[in-house]
Amino acid sequence: MRACIQRVRRASVTLPSTGETTGEIGSGLLVLLGVKVGDDETTAAALAAKIVQLRIFEDVDGKMNRSLLDTGGRMLVVSQFTLYGDCRKGRRPSFTEAAKPEDAERLYRFFVDEVEKHGVLTALGAFRQEMHVELVNDGPVTMIVDI
């Protein structure tokens, strides 16, 4: 699994087809989540634990020393198969490493459940839908985490 994590002041997901907002958070993390062939529940649980405990929020001294658990922030999780786009050959990305949609959705939802088990409130994008993601990046702080 691969996650692009952005520390945000706020973030939201809207469906352009309907204008419906599917998920919205204030301070916390926007997580763009990619699932690859071969990922399983163990992988998803490990990534969830890693992200909620990742110390990327500032303490009183301005050092990145606090986690999402420490700050009480929320998480907006957006499925993002394009994180496994391979652009090394040619001009058109290959997505052969990305999991099939049914496997990806199952593990996406499992990941969210694992995050919530840690006590983090979550909001979601819309699986297999065109989405508009808006955010105010805080820092900016952006990390890529692979498990």
Side-chain angles (χ1 to χ4, degrees):
M1 292 185 105
R2 178 174 291 158
C4 177
I5 304 162
Q6 297 181 302
R7 191 177 75 186
V8 297
R9 299 260 177 180
R10 68 178 179 278
S12 65
V13 173
T14 305
L15 301 180
S17 60
T18 65
E20 173 193 2
T21 298
T22 65
E24 187 172 23
I25 64 168
S27 180
L29 295 176
L30 169 62
V31 176
L32 304 175
L33 183 69
V35 180
K36 75 175 186 289
V37 173
D39 285 339
D40 58 17
E41 288 81 3
T42 302
T43 309
L47 184 61
K50 177 80 168 183
I51 292 172
V52 300
Q53 296 176 54
L54 198 61
R55 298 184 327 178
I56 59 173
F57 292 88
E58 293 177 356
D59 63 16
V60 293
D61 296 323
K63 304 267 187 213
M64 280 198 245
N65 204 25
R66 299 178 73 214
S67 71
L68 192 62
L69 297 175
D70 297 327
T71 65
R74 295 184 64 192
M75 185 184 295
L76 174 58
V77 185
V78 177
S79 176
Q80 186 79 37
F81 81 95
T82 59
L83 286 175
Y84 280 106
D86 184 350
C87 300
R88 291 177 289 183
K89 294 181 182 177
R91 295 187 180 123
R92 184 176 181 187
S94 168
F95 298 101
T96 57
E97 286 187 57
K100 292 179 181 179
E102 55 275 4
D103 295 332
E105 184 171 15
R106 179 178 54 78
L107 288 172
Y108 165 78
R109 297 201 181 280
F110 184 88
F111 171 87
V112 170
D113 290 344
E114 288 295 306
V115 168
E116 290 176 342
K117 284 180 185 176
H118 288 277
V120 175
L121 296 175
T122 61
L124 306 177
F127 196 86
R128 292 188 83 182
Q129 299 287 318
E130 181 180 347
M131 297 172 274
H132 289 171
V133 180
E134 292 187 45
L135 68 131
V136 175
N137 199 316
D138 184 15
V141 173
T142 302
M143 304 280 172
I144 303 292
V145 179
D146 284 299
I147 296 274

